[in-house]
Amino acid sequence: MDKYGCLSETLGNEIRQYEASYFTYDEPVPFCGLLIYPITMRHYNDFMLANPCLLLNKNETIEGLKQTHLEFLIGKLNDQEEGQLWNLRLSKLFELIFHFKDGVRCTQCGSTMTYAEFIAKNKEMLEAQQEGEEKLAACQNCGSTQFEAMIRYAVNPETKKYELVVAGHKIDAAAFERLRQIVMYQNLPDYYDDSKIDPDLKADYAERIRIKSQKSGKATTEKKIVCVAAKTSYKMDELYNMPIRKFLMLLTAVDDVIQYEATRVGMMTGMVSMKEPPEHWIYKKETDVLGDTYKSLDTFKSEMSQI
């Protein structure tokens, strides 16, 4: 199964088209009157902390089975215990992908202020008003006192369904399904949607990954950046500002070429023997997203113990 295998045929074809036209060239993707920008390595950790908003799987709960993913997310935003955390995640995510600062926007002209700027403006007005006088913060462009949140949700009066309203643009449940996949595939080249894969199969695959990684160490984002800088001509600032997608592909390529060249040298000196030449690092075939999960876990453990 390829990495688009769990998507509907229509959405899978859409993502493939975006990959060819936008992802490859780090171009923003047009979406509901907005542009979805690729995220840079400078904000990698922020993205990984915020992307649970997109990875929520409504099908893992009984309540979620009756909801859309958008309704399920809004339920999280309203949760009494964790609602604030989910609101912060969504705010940061939209700031990263839509390139705006969360805050308020004038409903008349569309100009924006951050919450800090809006609060400071209101404080000025309160301090300047006379007794019995009521002043409100006004838009610096048109003078209107009508503002709305940059990120909010509301019930559509016609469909009676929840919608997100982002910088004045509406995102309904169907559009949010597309957004979830576009952002993840745009930024993480090895991502695949596993929401429809059997939970037992996913748990089995996770156990295989754990076994495989037992003898490997872990590298922080900082260490990965340093290692890529050490093996390429890129400067640190260039890597900080590189899209996450390209950096991860570059990191994989650096690792592949090192292994390929070492194997070729080993074969030429007779220190390494192989029935077939190593697969070229540029033309490596994409493997099935579930790898060797089609073997039994016992067989897999037996093979790993012999390594």
Side-chain angles (χ1 to χ4, degrees):
M1 180 176 68
D2 69 16
K3 61 183 180 180
Y4 304 110
C6 284
L7 303 179
S8 68
E9 182 178 356
T10 300
L11 185 54
N13 289 335
E14 181 182 2
I15 299 296
R16 288 185 180 92
Q17 181 59 46
Y18 289 156
E19 184 171 21
S21 302
Y22 298 102
F23 302 171
T24 298
Y25 306 104
D26 303 321
E27 294 289 341
V29 179
F31 175 80
C32 293
L34 298 160
L35 290 173
I36 304 174
Y37 290 88
I39 302 168
T40 62
M41 281 302 297
R42 187 179 297 277
H43 301 292
Y44 176 82
N45 291 332
D46 288 335
F47 174 58
M48 299 309 288
L49 289 172
N51 71 24
C53 293
L54 305 175
L55 298 176
L56 281 171
N57 185 1
K58 70 182 185 65
N59 298 322
E60 292 180 348
T61 67
I62 295 176
E63 298 82 4
L65 292 172
K66 300 178 291 184
Q67 299 176 310
T68 64
H69 275 104
L70 178 56
E71 290 170 335
F72 194 59
L73 172 61
I74 289 173
K76 293 290 185 181
L77 298 177
N78 288 323
D79 185 83
Q80 291 187 348
E81 294 183 0
E82 297 188 339
Q84 185 176 10
L85 173 61
W86 285 102
N87 276 279
L88 289 172
R89 283 172 172 164
L90 188 65
S91 173
K92 175 52 70 175
L93 177 69
F94 283 177
E95 286 186 343
L96 291 175
I97 66 175
F98 293 131
H99 281 199
F100 64 65
K101 286 293 185 181
D102 195 8
V104 298
R105 66 184 292 274
C106 174
T107 59
Q108 299 298 315
C109 69
S111 62
T112 64
M113 284 190 282
T114 65
Y115 283 119
E117 292 169 340
F118 184 68
I119 291 170
K121 189 73 174 175
N122 266 305
K123 185 178 179 181
E124 285 178 21
M125 301 299 292
L126 288 171
E127 290 174 349
Q129 74 181 19
Q130 302 297 321
E131 187 176 349
E133 183 182 25
E134 185 177 359
K135 289 187 177 181
L136 297 174
C139 175
Q140 294 180 342
N141 288 341
C142 68
S144 172
T145 57
Q146 301 299 310
F147 294 92
E148 65 180 11
M150 287 285 287
I151 303 170
R152 61 189 180 89
Y153 56 86
V155 175
N156 185 304
E158 296 180 3
T159 64
K160 309 301 181 185
K161 299 289 186 181
Y162 275 113
E163 293 177 335
L164 283 173
V165 183
V166 181
H169 300 276
K170 295 180 180 180
I171 301 175
D172 62 16
F176 184 71
E177 289 295 330
R178 293 173 52 232
L179 178 69
R180 293 175 65 237
Q181 304 302 342
I182 292 170
V183 174
M184 296 306 296
Y185 280 102
Q186 178 188 41
N187 291 285
L188 301 179
D190 294 327
Y191 170 78
Y192 68 94
D193 177 29
D194 64 357
S195 60
K196 296 180 181 177
I197 295 175
D198 181 84
D200 291 337
L201 186 60
K202 284 197 287 186
D204 184 80
Y205 182 59
E207 177 64 10
R208 294 164 195 270
I209 295 298
R210 187 191 67 79
I211 293 171
K212 275 185 175 181
S213 61
Q214 280 181 330
K215 297 180 181 179
S216 302
K218 291 185 178 180
T220 63
T221 301
E222 180 183 23
K223 187 173 182 180
K224 290 175 184 177
I225 291 173
V226 170
C227 290
V228 170
K231 295 300 293 183
T232 67
S233 60
Y234 284 103
K235 298 178 180 178
M236 293 295 229
D237 281 344
E238 293 174 323
L239 294 175
Y240 296 152
N241 295 314
M242 182 178 288
I244 293 172
R245 178 186 181 87
K246 287 299 188 293
F247 176 84
L248 295 178
M249 294 175 73
L250 179 62
L251 179 64
T252 299
V254 167
D255 183 50
D256 286 345
V257 71
I258 291 172
Q259 292 191 43
Y260 175 79
E261 290 176 348
T263 303
R264 293 290 294 181
V265 169
M267 291 178 67
M268 287 188 290
T269 58
M271 297 179 66
V272 175
S273 177
M274 297 179 68
K275 293 181 180 180
E276 296 182 3
E279 191 174 18
H280 196 281
W281 63 277
I282 295 179
Y283 305 106
K284 286 185 72 172
K285 297 176 183 177
E286 288 191 9
T287 57
D288 190 292
V289 294
L290 291 179
D292 43 25
T293 46
Y294 303 109
K295 300 176 183 178
S296 72
L297 187 56
D298 289 338
T299 301
F300 175 78
K301 288 180 176 179
S302 176
E303 292 175 355
M304 290 300 296
S305 67
Q306 297 172 21
I307 296 177

